[in-house]
Amino acid sequence: VQLQASGGGLVQAGGSLRLSCAASGRTFSDYVVAWFRQAPGKLREFLGAINPTGLSTTYGEAVQGRTTISRDNAQNTVSLQMNSLKPEDTALYFCAADVPPIRDRSRPQYYRYSGRGTLVTVSS
């Protein structure tokens, strides 16, 4: 499956963003999809994951409570909505996918597929 994240840009602190992960190539509804981000000089950080049906989500500690992940299997897309943005949210955001079971959904190395990221810059 091919993945492409989009929707990044420059956002003011306190604002919101909505990113989209578009998939093609396979039966998208079979896949767990996760979002990660990587800031310069830092390790990749788990933001959250959504199961194939969209009925179950998990979130990383750093963004829990201000992030919502949803999916539209008919459109082969997964969205990430993040509110109350802070300058430390500045990073390259990307999505990853694989069929379950996944050994550890919070670790990017356990996903076989990932796409190019989209850059989010939060200004103070």
Side-chain angles (χ1 to χ4, degrees), residues 6 14 17 23 30-31 35 45 65 72 75 78 80-82 85 87 90 101 113 124:
S6 62
L17 63 80
D30 290 341
Y31 288 77
W35 283 94
E45 181 178 30
D72 183 342
Q75 298 294 323
V78 170
L80 178 142
Q81 174 80 29
M82 188 179 295
L85 289 168
T90 295
Y113 308 103
S124 57

PDB file of all heavy atoms in Angstrom, residues 6 14 17 23 30-31 35 45 65 72 75 78 80-82 85 87 90 101 113 124:
ATOM      1  N   SER A   6      -0.732  14.656   3.992  1.00  0.00           N
ATOM      2  CA  SER A   6      -0.882  16.023   3.495  1.00  0.00           C
ATOM      3  C   SER A   6      -1.591  16.872   4.536  1.00  0.00           C
ATOM      4  O   SER A   6      -2.135  16.349   5.517  1.00  0.00           O
ATOM      5  CB  SER A   6      -1.678  16.029   2.185  1.00  0.00           C
ATOM      6  OG  SER A   6      -2.980  15.520   2.394  1.00  0.00           O
ATOM      7  N   GLY A  14      -1.868  27.518  19.679  1.00  0.00           N
ATOM      8  CA  GLY A  14      -3.255  27.573  20.100  1.00  0.00           C
ATOM      9  C   GLY A  14      -4.240  27.175  19.026  1.00  0.00           C
ATOM     10  O   GLY A  14      -5.418  26.936  19.318  1.00  0.00           O
ATOM     11  N   LEU A  17      -4.966  21.786  13.571  1.00  0.00           N
ATOM     12  CA  LEU A  17      -4.614  21.301  12.243  1.00  0.00           C
ATOM     13  C   LEU A  17      -5.363  20.014  11.975  1.00  0.00           C
ATOM     14  O   LEU A  17      -5.770  19.303  12.905  1.00  0.00           O
ATOM     15  CB  LEU A  17      -3.107  21.084  12.114  1.00  0.00           C
ATOM     16  CG  LEU A  17      -2.412  20.044  13.001  1.00  0.00           C
ATOM     17  CD1 LEU A  17      -2.596  18.641  12.476  1.00  0.00           C
ATOM     18  CD2 LEU A  17      -0.921  20.350  13.074  1.00  0.00           C
ATOM     19  N   ALA A  23      -4.343   6.583   1.068  1.00  0.00           N
ATOM     20  CA  ALA A  23      -3.756   5.281   0.754  1.00  0.00           C
ATOM     21  C   ALA A  23      -4.233   4.781  -0.596  1.00  0.00           C
ATOM     22  O   ALA A  23      -5.341   5.086  -1.032  1.00  0.00           O
ATOM     23  CB  ALA A  23      -4.125   4.278   1.835  1.00  0.00           C
ATOM     24  N   ASP A  30      -8.251  -3.258   5.552  1.00  0.00           N
ATOM     25  CA  ASP A  30      -7.585  -4.346   6.266  1.00  0.00           C
ATOM     26  C   ASP A  30      -6.472  -3.845   7.179  1.00  0.00           C
ATOM     27  O   ASP A  30      -5.920  -4.622   7.964  1.00  0.00           O
ATOM     28  CB  ASP A  30      -6.957  -5.348   5.280  1.00  0.00           C
ATOM     29  CG  ASP A  30      -8.004  -6.144   4.525  1.00  0.00           C
ATOM     30  OD1 ASP A  30      -9.163  -6.211   4.988  1.00  0.00           O
ATOM     31  OD2 ASP A  30      -7.658  -6.686   3.463  1.00  0.00           O
ATOM     32  N   TYR A  31      -6.127  -2.563   7.088  1.00  0.00           N
ATOM     33  CA  TYR A  31      -4.914  -2.053   7.701  1.00  0.00           C
ATOM     34  C   TYR A  31      -5.152  -1.238   8.964  1.00  0.00           C
ATOM     35  O   TYR A  31      -6.076  -0.433   9.047  1.00  0.00           O
ATOM     36  CB  TYR A  31      -4.156  -1.167   6.713  1.00  0.00           C
ATOM     37  CG  TYR A  31      -3.510  -1.954   5.599  1.00  0.00           C
ATOM     38  CD1 TYR A  31      -4.258  -2.441   4.536  1.00  0.00           C
ATOM     39  CD2 TYR A  31      -2.144  -2.209   5.619  1.00  0.00           C
ATOM     40  CE1 TYR A  31      -3.671  -3.176   3.521  1.00  0.00           C
ATOM     41  CE2 TYR A  31      -1.543  -2.938   4.604  1.00  0.00           C
ATOM     42  CZ  TYR A  31      -2.310  -3.419   3.570  1.00  0.00           C
ATOM     43  OH  TYR A  31      -1.715  -4.145   2.575  1.00  0.00           O
ATOM     44  N   TRP A  35      -0.157   7.314  13.173  1.00  0.00           N
ATOM     45  CA  TRP A  35       0.515   8.588  12.905  1.00  0.00           C
ATOM     46  C   TRP A  35       1.719   8.714  13.830  1.00  0.00           C
ATOM     47  O   TRP A  35       1.647   8.396  15.023  1.00  0.00           O
ATOM     48  CB  TRP A  35      -0.427   9.757  13.157  1.00  0.00           C
ATOM     49  CG  TRP A  35      -1.441   9.984  12.094  1.00  0.00           C
ATOM     50  CD1 TRP A  35      -2.721   9.510  12.064  1.00  0.00           C
ATOM     51  CD2 TRP A  35      -1.278  10.765  10.910  1.00  0.00           C
ATOM     52  NE1 TRP A  35      -3.354   9.942  10.924  1.00  0.00           N
ATOM     53  CE2 TRP A  35      -2.491  10.719  10.200  1.00  0.00           C
ATOM     54  CE3 TRP A  35      -0.221  11.505  10.377  1.00  0.00           C
ATOM     55  CZ2 TRP A  35      -2.684  11.382   8.990  1.00  0.00           C
ATOM     56  CZ3 TRP A  35      -0.406  12.165   9.168  1.00  0.00           C
ATOM     57  CH2 TRP A  35      -1.622  12.087   8.483  1.00  0.00           C
ATOM     58  N   GLU A  45       8.034   9.940  17.273  1.00  0.00           N
ATOM     59  CA  GLU A  45       7.097   9.913  18.394  1.00  0.00           C
ATOM     60  C   GLU A  45       5.749   9.394  17.921  1.00  0.00           C
ATOM     61  O   GLU A  45       5.225   9.843  16.898  1.00  0.00           O
ATOM     62  CB  GLU A  45       6.945  11.309  18.983  1.00  0.00           C
ATOM     63  CG  GLU A  45       6.019  11.395  20.169  1.00  0.00           C
ATOM     64  CD  GLU A  45       5.957  12.797  20.733  1.00  0.00           C
ATOM     65  OE1 GLU A  45       6.117  13.761  19.958  1.00  0.00           O
ATOM     66  OE2 GLU A  45       5.733  12.941  21.947  1.00  0.00           O
ATOM     67  N   GLY A  65      -5.881  13.607  24.434  1.00  0.00           N
ATOM     68  CA  GLY A  65      -6.775  14.635  24.943  1.00  0.00           C
ATOM     69  C   GLY A  65      -6.952  15.815  24.002  1.00  0.00           C
ATOM     70  O   GLY A  65      -7.905  16.593  24.145  1.00  0.00           O
ATOM     71  N   ASP A  72     -11.955   7.029   6.926  1.00  0.00           N
ATOM     72  CA  ASP A  72     -13.040   6.838   5.967  1.00  0.00           C
ATOM     73  C   ASP A  72     -12.551   5.777   4.991  1.00  0.00           C
ATOM     74  O   ASP A  72     -11.815   6.090   4.052  1.00  0.00           O
ATOM     75  CB  ASP A  72     -13.365   8.155   5.270  1.00  0.00           C
ATOM     76  CG  ASP A  72     -14.535   8.034   4.318  1.00  0.00           C
ATOM     77  OD1 ASP A  72     -14.888   6.902   3.938  1.00  0.00           O
ATOM     78  OD2 ASP A  72     -15.100   9.060   3.947  1.00  0.00           O
ATOM     79  N   GLN A  75     -13.153   6.251   1.287  1.00  0.00           N
ATOM     80  CA  GLN A  75     -12.282   7.221   0.626  1.00  0.00           C
ATOM     81  C   GLN A  75     -10.809   6.874   0.778  1.00  0.00           C
ATOM     82  O   GLN A  75      -9.951   7.600   0.295  1.00  0.00           O
ATOM     83  CB  GLN A  75     -12.521   8.620   1.203  1.00  0.00           C
ATOM     84  CG  GLN A  75     -13.928   9.147   0.990  1.00  0.00           C
ATOM     85  CD  GLN A  75     -14.234   9.379  -0.481  1.00  0.00           C
ATOM     86  OE1 GLN A  75     -13.378   9.816  -1.253  1.00  0.00           O
ATOM     87  NE2 GLN A  75     -15.466   9.069  -0.889  1.00  0.00           N
ATOM     88  N   VAL A  78      -7.232   8.412   6.256  1.00  0.00           N
ATOM     89  CA  VAL A  78      -7.220   8.514   7.707  1.00  0.00           C
ATOM     90  C   VAL A  78      -6.842   9.940   8.047  1.00  0.00           C
ATOM     91  O   VAL A  78      -5.899  10.492   7.465  1.00  0.00           O
ATOM     92  CB  VAL A  78      -6.219   7.537   8.338  1.00  0.00           C
ATOM     93  CG1 VAL A  78      -6.047   7.821   9.827  1.00  0.00           C
ATOM     94  CG2 VAL A  78      -6.683   6.094   8.136  1.00  0.00           C
ATOM     95  N   LEU A  80      -6.034  13.050  10.999  1.00  0.00           N
ATOM     96  CA  LEU A  80      -5.558  13.375  12.338  1.00  0.00           C
ATOM     97  C   LEU A  80      -5.920  14.823  12.616  1.00  0.00           C
ATOM     98  O   LEU A  80      -5.507  15.713  11.871  1.00  0.00           O
ATOM     99  CB  LEU A  80      -4.057  13.169  12.453  1.00  0.00           C
ATOM    100  CG  LEU A  80      -3.416  13.517  13.805  1.00  0.00           C
ATOM    101  CD1 LEU A  80      -2.326  12.517  14.144  1.00  0.00           C
ATOM    102  CD2 LEU A  80      -2.850  14.918  13.823  1.00  0.00           C
ATOM    103  N   GLN A  81      -6.695  15.041  13.634  1.00  0.00           N
ATOM    104  CA  GLN A  81      -7.088  16.374  14.078  1.00  0.00           C
ATOM    105  C   GLN A  81      -6.370  16.664  15.387  1.00  0.00           C
ATOM    106  O   GLN A  81      -6.467  15.876  16.330  1.00  0.00           O
ATOM    107  CB  GLN A  81      -8.601  16.446  14.290  1.00  0.00           C
ATOM    108  CG  GLN A  81      -9.108  17.733  14.896  1.00  0.00           C
ATOM    109  CD  GLN A  81      -9.243  18.863  13.890  1.00  0.00           C
ATOM    110  OE1 GLN A  81      -9.479  18.612  12.711  1.00  0.00           O
ATOM    111  NE2 GLN A  81      -9.085  20.093  14.343  1.00  0.00           N
ATOM    112  N   MET A  82      -5.628  17.754  15.432  1.00  0.00           N
ATOM    113  CA  MET A  82      -4.910  18.116  16.644  1.00  0.00           C
ATOM    114  C   MET A  82      -5.238  19.553  17.008  1.00  0.00           C
ATOM    115  O   MET A  82      -5.172  20.444  16.162  1.00  0.00           O
ATOM    116  CB  MET A  82      -3.397  17.944  16.467  1.00  0.00           C
ATOM    117  CG  MET A  82      -2.600  18.133  17.754  1.00  0.00           C
ATOM    118  SD  MET A  82      -0.825  17.887  17.507  1.00  0.00           S
ATOM    119  CE  MET A  82      -0.817  16.157  17.092  1.00  0.00           C
ATOM    120  N   LEU A  85      -2.448  23.634  19.586  1.00  0.00           N
ATOM    121  CA  LEU A  85      -1.089  23.398  19.122  1.00  0.00           C
ATOM    122  C   LEU A  85      -0.077  24.254  19.879  1.00  0.00           C
ATOM    123  O   LEU A  85      -0.370  25.394  20.279  1.00  0.00           O
ATOM    124  CB  LEU A  85      -0.994  23.670  17.623  1.00  0.00           C
ATOM    125  CG  LEU A  85      -1.699  22.642  16.750  1.00  0.00           C
ATOM    126  CD1 LEU A  85      -1.798  23.139  15.317  1.00  0.00           C
ATOM    127  CD2 LEU A  85      -0.976  21.308  16.794  1.00  0.00           C
ATOM    128  N   PRO A  87       4.344  25.251  20.053  1.00  0.00           N
ATOM    129  CA  PRO A  87       5.551  25.258  19.216  1.00  0.00           C
ATOM    130  C   PRO A  87       6.281  23.919  19.220  1.00  0.00           C
ATOM    131  O   PRO A  87       6.877  23.538  18.201  1.00  0.00           O
ATOM    132  CB  PRO A  87       6.397  26.366  19.847  1.00  0.00           C
ATOM    133  CG  PRO A  87       5.393  27.305  20.436  1.00  0.00           C
ATOM    134  CD  PRO A  87       4.290  26.417  20.946  1.00  0.00           C
ATOM    135  N   THR A  90       5.896  21.274  16.429  1.00  0.00           N
ATOM    136  CA  THR A  90       6.560  21.431  15.138  1.00  0.00           C
ATOM    137  C   THR A  90       7.355  20.177  14.809  1.00  0.00           C
ATOM    138  O   THR A  90       8.201  19.735  15.588  1.00  0.00           O
ATOM    139  CB  THR A  90       7.507  22.647  15.157  1.00  0.00           C
ATOM    140  OG1 THR A  90       6.730  23.831  15.323  1.00  0.00           O
ATOM    141  CG2 THR A  90       8.307  22.729  13.866  1.00  0.00           C
ATOM    142  N   PRO A 101      -1.897  -8.878  13.112  1.00  0.00           N
ATOM    143  CA  PRO A 101      -1.466  -8.228  14.350  1.00  0.00           C
ATOM    144  C   PRO A 101      -0.146  -7.491  14.185  1.00  0.00           C
ATOM    145  O   PRO A 101       0.717  -7.910  13.415  1.00  0.00           O
ATOM    146  CB  PRO A 101      -1.312  -9.400  15.318  1.00  0.00           C
ATOM    147  CG  PRO A 101      -0.908 -10.546  14.432  1.00  0.00           C
ATOM    148  CD  PRO A 101      -1.658 -10.326  13.136  1.00  0.00           C
ATOM    149  N   TYR A 113       4.684  -0.290   5.932  1.00  0.00           N
ATOM    150  CA  TYR A 113       4.411   0.754   4.953  1.00  0.00           C
ATOM    151  C   TYR A 113       4.346   2.122   5.627  1.00  0.00           C
ATOM    152  O   TYR A 113       3.713   2.289   6.674  1.00  0.00           O
ATOM    153  CB  TYR A 113       3.084   0.480   4.238  1.00  0.00           C
ATOM    154  CG  TYR A 113       2.992  -0.908   3.671  1.00  0.00           C
ATOM    155  CD1 TYR A 113       2.245  -1.895   4.312  1.00  0.00           C
ATOM    156  CD2 TYR A 113       3.665  -1.243   2.497  1.00  0.00           C
ATOM    157  CE1 TYR A 113       2.155  -3.175   3.798  1.00  0.00           C
ATOM    158  CE2 TYR A 113       3.585  -2.524   1.979  1.00  0.00           C
ATOM    159  CZ  TYR A 113       2.835  -3.490   2.635  1.00  0.00           C
ATOM    160  OH  TYR A 113       2.764  -4.764   2.125  1.00  0.00           O
ATOM    161  N   SER A 124       5.011  30.665  17.665  1.00  0.00           N
ATOM    162  CA  SER A 124       4.590  31.149  18.985  1.00  0.00           C
ATOM    163  C   SER A 124       4.058  32.562  18.906  1.00  0.00           C
ATOM    164  O   SER A 124       4.166  33.242  17.902  1.00  0.00           O
ATOM    165  CB  SER A 124       5.771  31.087  19.947  1.00  0.00           C
ATOM    166  OG  SER A 124       6.849  31.836  19.440  1.00  0.00           O
TER     167      SER A 124
END
